[in-house]
Amino acid sequence: MSTMTSTDSTSYDSAAAETGRGRGLRLSGMNWLVWRQHRAAYWTMLAATAITVAVIVYQRQQMITYLDGYGYPDLKPGWEDKFDQGPLNSAARLLGLLPVLIGVFLGGPLLAGDLESGTAKLVNAQSASRVRWLATKLGMSALVVVVCTTAVSAAFTWWWSPVRSSSYALTWADPAGFDNSGPVPVALTLLTVVGGVAIGMLLRRTLLSMVVTLGFAVALQVVWSYFRMSLGNVITVTTHNGVGNDSAPNMPEGAHQLDEFYLTASGDLIGWGSCAEQTEKARDACLDKAQVVGWSVDYIPISQMSSMQWLGASILLALTAGIAAFVILWGRKRLV
C-alpha cells in the first residue's frame, strides 16, 4: 500500500503477548497494536513537527535580530522597508496545507485500509470489542494530531507575534494568519482527519477514501473561509467631515476593514463606487447631488482575533465530536 498507514495482519491476542518485548513507548494491549500498525504515519508526523519547529525557532531569531535594529519591541517607523517577509509568507502557505495532507494520508486510510485488507474482520474475531478498537484508533490518532499541530501552531504564533499588528507581514484576518495560529490549526486538522476516518469507514476502499477526503478537506477550507469573519462583532464608525483626503475615519491599528459607504445627510448609506466618475469635478457634482456628508466604515479590530479563533475552534471541535460519535455508533454494529 502506498499510503502512510500500513495494515498489520497480526491478531490482537498475539500482539498483546508481545508487548513485553516492545521498545520505546511503553504501550500495551490495543494501544500497542494501534501504535505498531500506524507507527510510520505517527513517527513521520512527529519528526516533521520537530523539524518544522526547529526551522521556525531559527527564522524567528533571524527576524528578531533585524527588528532589534529598529528598537523592538517598540518598533520605529521604517522597519517595513527592508523587512524580509518571504520566510513568514512561505511558511504560512505551507502550514495551510497541513490539515489537508494529514486528513488525506492519515484520516482517509485509517479504517479504510483495515476494511479493504480484511484486518478489521481479524480484529473483530478477537476478544476486544469493536468500540474499543475504534475508540483506540481515533483516540491515539487524535492525540498525535493534537500534539503535532499544537506545537507547530504555538511556534508559528510565537514567530509572527512581534509583527502581527502590521498588515505588511501577513494580515491577521486572512487564512495565512488566522488559520495558522492559536487553536484554529488544531481544530481544522482534527475535523479533517475524523471526517476522513468516517469517509473511509463508509467507502471501505483506501485510494477512493483518500480522494474523497481530499475533496472534503478542500470543501471544508472553502466553507471556513466564508464563515471565518462572521465570528467577529462588526464595529461601524462614521464621519461627517466630507470625503476629502483627510476625512477618512480613524480605525485602530491592525483593524480589518470589511466595507465602506458614503454617508448622506439623511443618514442613508450608498456604495462608495456610486460616484466613481472619471473626473474630479464630475465626482464632486455626484457627491453634492447625493448630499454626501461623510463616510461609514465597517471593521473588526485585531483585539477580537483571539476570541474569534476560540469560538471558531469550539464549533469545529463540536463538529469533530459529532463525526467521531457517528463513527463509533455506526462501526459498533455495521463495521464488518
Side-chain angles (χ1 to χ4, degrees):
M1 186 184 304
S2 59
T3 67
M4 292 170 57
T5 304
S6 61
T7 57
D8 196 330
S9 60
T10 306
S11 70
Y12 170 71
D13 293 336
S14 299
E18 294 179 3
T19 56
R21 288 179 279 172
R23 293 177 294 178
L25 292 175
R26 295 181 178 275
L27 301 175
S28 60
M30 183 64 73
N31 292 328
W32 180 87
L33 178 63
V34 171
W35 176 271
R36 179 176 176 80
Q37 185 181 16
H38 303 289
R39 63 189 182 277
Y42 296 156
W43 280 120
T44 299
M45 290 177 59
L46 292 169
T49 298
I51 295 172
T52 301
V53 171
V55 171
I56 288 177
V57 169
Y58 171 78
Q59 289 293 344
R60 187 183 191 274
Q61 184 58 44
Q62 295 294 105
M63 183 181 73
I64 293 299
T65 300
Y66 169 80
L67 295 179
D68 282 340
Y70 290 88
Y72 175 78
D74 298 320
L75 294 175
K76 301 175 183 178
W79 68 268
E80 301 98 334
D81 295 342
K82 296 182 180 180
F83 179 75
D84 184 10
Q85 57 180 322
L88 197 61
N89 290 332
S90 298
R93 287 193 294 268
L94 291 175
L95 294 181
L97 297 175
L98 288 183
V100 177
L101 294 176
I102 296 176
V104 170
F105 289 100
L106 177 63
L110 194 71
L111 289 181
D114 291 345
L115 292 169
E116 185 176 24
S117 65
T119 303
K121 292 183 179 180
L122 180 61
V123 172
N124 186 59
Q126 309 304 314
S127 58
S129 67
R130 297 178 186 176
V131 172
R132 182 184 174 190
W133 180 61
L134 289 170
T136 305
K137 282 241 184 186
L138 287 173
M140 185 166 291
S141 299
L143 177 61
V144 175
V145 168
V146 168
V147 169
C148 293
T149 53
T150 299
V152 172
S153 175
F156 182 82
T157 303
W158 178 60
W159 179 16
W160 179 39
S161 58
V163 295
R164 189 181 66 169
S165 61
S166 173
S167 60
Y168 182 79
L170 298 184
T171 301
W172 70 267
D174 289 342
F178 194 94
D179 294 351
N180 291 321
S181 59
V184 176
V186 182
L188 273 175
T189 306
L190 277 176
L191 179 54
T192 307
V193 169
V194 176
V197 173
I199 291 170
M201 181 183 67
L202 297 175
L203 297 182
R204 297 172 174 261
R205 295 292 182 270
T206 303
L207 184 57
L208 178 60
S209 298
M210 293 174 69
V211 173
V212 176
T213 301
L214 175 61
F216 167 75
V218 173
L220 175 62
Q221 294 286 340
V222 172
V223 172
W224 174 250
S225 67
Y226 282 102
F227 175 73
R228 185 192 305 109
M229 285 297 101
S230 64
L231 298 170
N233 296 317
V234 179
I235 297 176
T236 301
V237 59
T238 59
T239 65
H240 296 77
N241 303 320
V243 291
N245 294 332
D246 299 327
S247 62
N250 292 323
M251 293 185 294
E253 182 180 4
H256 175 64
Q257 181 174 315
L258 297 173
D259 210 342
E260 62 180 355
F261 306 90
Y262 287 132
L263 177 66
T264 67
S266 61
D268 296 330
L269 301 178
I270 60 174
W272 64 269
S274 301
C275 291
E277 307 295 341
Q278 294 183 352
T279 64
E280 183 176 353
K281 183 177 180 180
R283 173 179 172 273
D284 292 341
C286 176
L287 294 174
D288 291 338
K289 182 178 180 181
Q291 296 183 327
V292 172
V293 296
W295 291 102
S296 176
V297 177
D298 296 337
Y299 72 92
I300 300 177
I302 193 174
S303 59
Q304 293 189 22
M305 178 181 178
S306 180
S307 60
M308 291 169 62
Q309 287 182 316
W310 281 104
L311 176 59
S314 299
I315 295 173
L316 294 173
L317 291 175
L319 293 174
T320 302
I323 297 176
F326 166 75
V327 171
I328 296 294
L329 295 175
W330 179 281
R332 181 182 178 182
K333 296 182 178 180
R334 307 183 185 183
L335 187 63
V336 293

